[in-house]
């Protein structure tokens, strides 16, 4: 193990240019190299990625990283390749032929690190080659998705261990998350069947973050004031696309460079905005919670939540994108009286009942012309307007239902990062050449012949998909010309086609069920957990205690100090306490510290100030640089500044 650890230090310098590990990373690397199942609990920006990337370069063979984040996969693969480490990813953005090729490459030992979406693990191509792949370690990122009590539950995560069953006992295992309560932590350990688990945590304290809650009924006016005074670049999270657009426009009107970011923009537009923000070309991005997953900008100085998140886990993760460089930064939550009740109402209205979920499931299957027992291999567009006509439910409920069906592993959804074209040839394969010969226009004949060669013989049986950009290059056509040509052939009943952009796209994981597979009790338990998390979120907003302490206690830390000294409540309480005492009394405290300093108990006895108030006064004197502390045999000694 010592030799491997020495090699890890050499690789840290060789590939990343660092001479030493950050706090906690060394413990994780040593744990995994020694063969122990390891659970990593690091805050956002705490350096989780290196915890599996470094061992991957030492263990040999291939490390599989399970992640639900498409943006993170793409960004990390790009960075690893730049550093000279062979890496790739497999997720729903890739056409089937590309997935199969990358699995073949993995089997042939071409990758050191392979990122994979959890839903890909139970597919036939993956399972067929599992025993032939040189897998040495599996790292489960965003491991809180395993737990039904987590804030971002995905049922596919609960099947990870069984997906590796033939080799599970012969490989190393690591799970990583930034947000796990004790309950979720236990669920991760049990689901992954960790034995002799080593839990490595850096705790949930972010001492450079000044947690702040602003109670304000006129949020928009106050937001403008905050951003005008703020230094550096920042993020504003809002609950809806409309709010994002409006806030970005309002900030631009007062001279702030701001842009909205949400699912209503194209993939290319979102990518451009993201890069402009990273490059400091725009000051503020006003985004829905789709922004930021896998995006690393170390010098984000503030994160403002304009609308209250529905869980403390989501808030901590999003707010934690501020100050990843360790410099002073501000997570700010804006709240008004009605936020909590509105959030409860939104959950009640948007979370579908079992009956509504069954209607959505049946409408999707019917729209795809799937009979009971029918299977799917390729994804299809989910036309929400068609669902509405079939089941009469509002659009909001349709989207909520799709999300729940994904969480419970009924639908496998994909986010189209690049536009794709789907083609299915309607004429029989045996008669295709005769049909081709009957086409009089040579250009048209050549187009359909090349189309079939590109999409392959499987396009005679089912819809085959390919990236639009790649297809355009192969056919040497502009998008408008390609679309027109496909429309003409579709009109003549020669083929069916789809052009998939940023819209719901997915497929059934299992054959269509004749009986809806989930009970009312299970669905209600999940719904109730959402209300429970919202209640804790509201508790954070209305708390009279230290913000940092509230967060750390929520995530199960022990012996948390009652005051961080820098959040809005601690500073407010400190000011309030100082006002209780006259300047004369403060000077008396300082005078008592002469000449050699005093311990807390002696100060309290001499001044007869109660414990809580005295702590506040002493904290204030330290922040004002009027006293300092030293450790002695008796404990902490308070001394005057020279």
């Amino acid at each position: 193990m010592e030799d491997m650890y020495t090699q890890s230090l050499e690789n840290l310098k060789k590939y990343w240019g660092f001479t030493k590990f950050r706090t906690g990373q060394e413990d994780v690397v040593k744990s995994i190299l020694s063969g122990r199942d390891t659970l990593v609990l690091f805050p956002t920006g705490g350096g989780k990625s290196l915890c599996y990337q470094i061992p991957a370069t030492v263990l040999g063979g291939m490390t599989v990283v399970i992640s639900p984040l498409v943006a993170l996969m793409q960004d990390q693969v790009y960075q690893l390749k730049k550093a000279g480490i062979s890496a790739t990813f497999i997720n729903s953005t890739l056409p089937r032929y590309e997935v199969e090729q990358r699995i073949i490459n993995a089997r042939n030992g071409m990758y050191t690190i392979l990122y994979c979406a959890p839903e890909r693990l139970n597919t036939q191509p993956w399972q067929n080659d599992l025993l032939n792949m040189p897998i040495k370690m599996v790292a489960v990122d965003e491991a809180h998705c395993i737990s039904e009590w987590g804030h971002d539950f995905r049922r596919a995560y609960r099947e990870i261990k069984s997906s590796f069953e033939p080799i599970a006992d012969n490989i190393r295992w690591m799970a990583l998350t930034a947000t796990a309560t004790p309950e979720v932590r236990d669920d991760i350990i049990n689901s992954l069947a960790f034995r002799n688990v080593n839990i490595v945590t850096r705790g949930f304290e972010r001492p450079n973050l000044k947690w702040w809650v602003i109670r304000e009924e006129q949020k928009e006016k106050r937001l403008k004031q905050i951003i005008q005074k703020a230094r550096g670049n920042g993020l504003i999270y809002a609950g809806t696309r409309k709010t994002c657009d409006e806030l970005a426009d309002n900030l631009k009107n007062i001279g702030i460079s701001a842009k909205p970011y949400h699912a209503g923009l194209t993939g290319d537009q979102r990518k451009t905005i993201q890069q402009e923000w990273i490059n400091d070309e725009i000051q503020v991005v006003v985004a829905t919670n789709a922004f930021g997953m896998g995006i690393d900008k170390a010098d984000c100085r503030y994160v403002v939540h304009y609308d209250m998140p529905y869980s403390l886990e989501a808030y901590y993760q999003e707010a934690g994108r501020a100050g990843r460089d360790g410099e002073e930064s501000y997570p700010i939550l804006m709240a008004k009286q009605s936020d909590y009740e509105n959030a409860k109402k939104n959950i009640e209205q948007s979370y579908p009942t079992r009956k509504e979920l069954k209607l959505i499931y049946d409408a999707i299957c019917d729209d795809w012309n799937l009979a009971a027992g029918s299977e799917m291999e390729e994804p299809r567009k989910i036309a929400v307007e068609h669902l509405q006509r079939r089941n009469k439910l509002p659009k909001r409920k349709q989207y909520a239902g799709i999300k729940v069906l994904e969480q419970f592993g009924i639908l496998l959804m994909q986010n189209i990062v690049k536009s794709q074209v789907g083609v299915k040839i309607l004429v029989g394969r045996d008669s295709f050449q005769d049909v081709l010969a009957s086409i009089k226009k040579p250009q048209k004949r050549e187009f359909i012949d090349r189309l079939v060669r590109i999409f392959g013989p499987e396009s005679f049986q089912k819809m085959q998909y390919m990236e639009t950009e790649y297809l355009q290059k192969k056919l040497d056509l502009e998008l408008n010309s390609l679309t027109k040509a496909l429309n003409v052939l579709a009109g003549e009943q020669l083929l069916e086609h789809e052009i998939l952009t940023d819209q719901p796209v997915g497929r059934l994981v299992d054959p269509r069920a004749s009986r809806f597979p989930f009970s009312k009790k299970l669905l209600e338990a999940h719904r109730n957990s959402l209300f429970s998390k919202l209640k804790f979120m509201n508790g954070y907003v209305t708390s009279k205690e230290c913000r940092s302490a509230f967060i750390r206690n929520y995530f199960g830390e022990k012996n948390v100090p009652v005051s961080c000294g820098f959040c809005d409540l601690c500073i407010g309480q400190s000011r309030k306490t100082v006002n209780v005492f006259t300047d004369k009394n403060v000077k008396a405290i300082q005078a008592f510290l002469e000449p050699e300093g005093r311990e807390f108990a002696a100060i309290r006895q001499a001044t007869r100030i109660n414990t809580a108030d005295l702590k506040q006064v002493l904290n204030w004197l330290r922040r004002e640089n009027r006293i300092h502390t030293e450790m002695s045999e008796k404990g902490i000694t308070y001394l005057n500044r020279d």
Side-chain angles (χ1 to χ4, degrees), residues 180-193:
T181 61
E183 187 176 39
V184 170
R185 199 176 307 170
D186 291 343
D187 210 359
I188 292 169
I189 292 169
N190 292 333
S191 180
L192 292 175

Side-chain angles (χ1 to χ4, degrees), residues 85-312:
I85 299 169
S86 179
T88 194
F89 62 82
I90 292 175
N91 59 37
S92 58
T93 67
L94 300 173
R96 182 177 176 180
Y97 69 89
E98 182 62 31
V99 170
E100 291 175 351
Q101 184 58 57
R102 293 186 187 191
I103 290 175
I104 292 170
N105 293 345
R107 183 185 68 198
N108 293 333
M110 292 177 62
Y111 307 122
T112 300
I113 300 179
L114 171 65
Y115 290 83
C116 187
E119 292 83 3
R120 289 281 152 182
L121 299 176
N122 280 320
T123 60
Q124 206 58 51
W126 178 271
Q127 287 296 319
N128 287 345
D129 272 317
L130 178 63
L131 290 172
N132 299 318
M133 286 191 271
I135 299 173
K136 299 294 183 183
M137 180 173 75
V138 172
V140 183
D141 203 7
E142 305 296 332
H144 55 269
C145 295
I146 284 174
S147 177
E148 291 184 24
W149 305 106
H151 69 287
D152 198 16
F153 170 63
R154 290 168 72 112
R155 182 159 289 273
Y157 260 77
R158 296 193 75 83
E159 299 170 0
I160 289 173
K161 194 64 179 265
S162 62
S163 300
F164 287 93
E165 187 175 3
I167 61 171
D169 293 336
N170 301 318
I171 57 180
R172 288 169 166 83
W173 284 86
M174 179 188 298
L176 310 96
T177 180
T179 52
T181 61
E183 187 176 39
V184 170
R185 199 176 307 170
D186 291 343
D187 210 359
I188 292 169
I189 292 169
N190 292 333
S191 180
L192 292 175
F194 278 3
R195 294 168 296 188
N196 190 28
V197 61
N198 184 22
I199 300 176
V200 184
T201 177
R202 281 182 50 185
F204 293 87
E205 182 185 19
R206 294 284 301 277
N208 65 309
L209 296 188
K210 315 308 176 191
W211 301 94
W212 218 264
V213 174
I214 295 175
R215 306 300 294 269
E216 178 61 68
E217 293 299 312
Q218 296 182 334
K219 287 187 179 182
E220 191 174 318
K221 180 180 177 181
R222 188 66 180 276
L223 179 68
K224 289 179 183 178
Q225 295 170 350
I226 292 169
I227 304 304
Q228 284 176 316
K229 291 179 181 178
R231 61 185 180 89
N233 294 4
L235 280 172
I236 300 170
Y237 281 105
T240 67
R241 300 180 190 182
K242 182 181 178 184
T243 305
C244 290
D245 290 334
E246 290 175 351
L247 292 179
D249 285 341
N250 291 339
L251 290 174
K252 281 187 282 188
N253 290 338
I254 60 171
I256 304 292
S257 58
K259 288 188 178 180
Y261 181 105
H262 51 66
L265 305 173
T266 67
D268 287 340
Q269 286 174 317
R270 294 201 301 270
K271 188 175 181 181
T272 298
I273 292 167
Q274 174 183 310
Q275 202 57 48
E276 286 175 343
W277 184 68
I278 290 172
N279 295 340
D280 296 331
E281 294 168 21
I282 54 177
Q283 181 180 339
V284 181
V285 171
V286 189
T288 59
N289 58 12
F291 184 82
M293 302 304 280
I295 297 168
D296 187 7
K297 180 173 172 62
D299 61 347
C300 175
R301 292 278 71 90
Y302 56 89
V303 173
V304 179
H305 279 79
Y306 189 79
D307 295 307
M308 186 174 74
Y310 286 11
S311 74
L312 205 52

Side-chain angles (χ1 to χ4, degrees), residues 64 128 142 160 317 356 399 485 548:
V64 178
N128 287 345
E142 305 296 332
I160 289 173
Q317 192 169 53
E356 289 169 332
Y399 281 108
S548 178

